[in-house]
Amino acid sequence: MSEIKIEVLYSEYANLFGDLMNIHYLGKCIPQARIIYTGLNDIPAFTKETVSMIYMGPMTEHQQELVIQALLPYKEQIQNCIANNTVFLLTGNAMETFEAYIENENGSRIMGLNLFPTYAKRDMFHRYNSLILGEYQGITLVGFKAQFSHSYGDNYHCYFYKVLRGDGLYPGSQLEGLHKNNFFGTYTVGPFLVENPLFTKHLIKLMGISNPVLAFESSIMEAYRKRLEEFQNPKLRFH
């Protein structure tokens, strides 16, 4: 098996909600992996070598604009990575940078990478906080949302997971996130991989490890089972 290389984009900015724990946990699960931290002014590793996974976490709205400008020169390489089944995980509003555009309250638009047909709209005076329960390929997913924006448009042919409780891309939607080949984008934070160990195993398999063993597996699975029980309680409020 070739070397596992995980590239973390712009962690100096994209680090809200403790979501860099996604990477710290992956590093514990795959101790042989080489984790590459790419700064905003660096040339991304994926443009120079084959990487197994690309990760980017949530950031402020201003930082989204900086990230889009940093990634635009590499749009074609990103498209090639997605086409060639490189694993991507984008959490929180990082996903929006790959959409068509982000619309401000005044109607002005920040053009995104336009790799997906959806778009985001900001509402900086109303933070949306929610729990979410969903299902992806038989795996039940749990998580949290904390955001000033929602995405709109048709993601029926490119959604990540079906929502069982809570909202998907926007209030009322039952389809959360974006998915193409091995690209996964979701508003869900948590951190997502720590909260969802079965999906973490799935992600590691996509990177070429056939029988992944999770770090602290018994403890993290017990926490997952307790969280599932809590989220499936019909008395629990999600908003």
Side-chain angles (χ1 to χ4, degrees), residues 140-143 191-200 224 227:
T140 305
L141 302 172
V142 296
F192 189 72
L193 296 183
V194 178
E195 301 282 352
N196 295 284
L198 296 180
F199 180 77
T200 302
Y224 171 67
R227 204 172 298 113

Side-chain angles (χ1 to χ4, degrees), residues 76-173:
E76 184 175 347
Q77 289 100 320
I78 293 170
Q79 288 176 304
N80 290 337
C81 286
I82 295 173
N84 292 328
N85 290 311
T86 301
V87 175
F88 283 76
L89 179 62
L90 274 60
T91 59
N93 63 1
M95 176 181 70
E96 297 176 353
T97 63
F98 279 50
E99 297 184 79
Y101 60 86
I102 302 169
E103 184 175 307
N104 292 307
E105 295 94 332
N106 63 5
S108 63
R109 293 180 178 181
I110 300 140
M111 304 311 294
L113 296 182
N114 198 24
L115 297 176
F116 289 90
T118 52
Y119 62 94
K121 294 183 70 172
R122 291 173 176 168
D123 183 357
M124 300 303 296
F125 293 102
H126 299 93
R127 178 185 285 276
Y128 175 88
N129 295 298
S130 175
L131 308 179
I132 190 165
L133 178 71
E135 186 271 334
Y136 168 77
Q137 293 190 4
I139 300 172
T140 305
L141 302 172
V142 296
F144 307 89
K145 290 191 170 189
Q147 59 202 77
F148 284 112
S149 52
H150 293 284
S151 290
Y152 298 88
D154 185 6
N155 70 330
Y156 180 78
H157 297 289
C158 58
Y159 70 89
F160 175 6
Y161 66 85
K162 292 183 179 180
V163 176
L164 303 176
R165 298 186 69 186
D167 293 311
L169 275 192
Y170 55 87
S173 168

Side-chain angles (χ1 to χ4, degrees), residues 215-234:
F216 323 113
E217 184 157 352
S218 60
S219 297
I220 206 163
M221 284 301 301
E222 178 62 21
Y224 171 67
R225 284 190 288 267
K226 289 182 177 179
R227 204 172 298 113
L228 267 185
E229 182 179 352
E230 179 186 3
F231 278 42
Q232 290 169 340
N233 184 342

Side-chain angles (χ1 to χ4, degrees), residues 30-88:
I30 320 173
Q32 73 272 27
R34 179 160 68 94
I35 299 177
I36 305 163
Y37 288 90
T38 297
L40 190 70
N41 298 315
D42 297 335
I43 297 174
F46 67 78
T47 68
K48 300 175 287 185
E49 58 187 299
T50 299
V51 300
S52 311
M53 176 179 171
I54 297 169
Y55 174 77
M56 186 163 61
M59 64 203 79
T60 69
E61 286 68 26
H62 173 65
Q63 290 162 354
Q64 280 182 301
E65 300 179 38
L66 298 176
V67 163
I68 290 170
Q69 292 307 309
L71 289 177
L72 271 175
Y74 312 113
K75 177 178 175 178
E76 184 175 347
Q77 289 100 320
I78 293 170
Q79 288 176 304
N80 290 337
C81 286
I82 295 173
N84 292 328
N85 290 311
T86 301
V87 175
F88 283 76

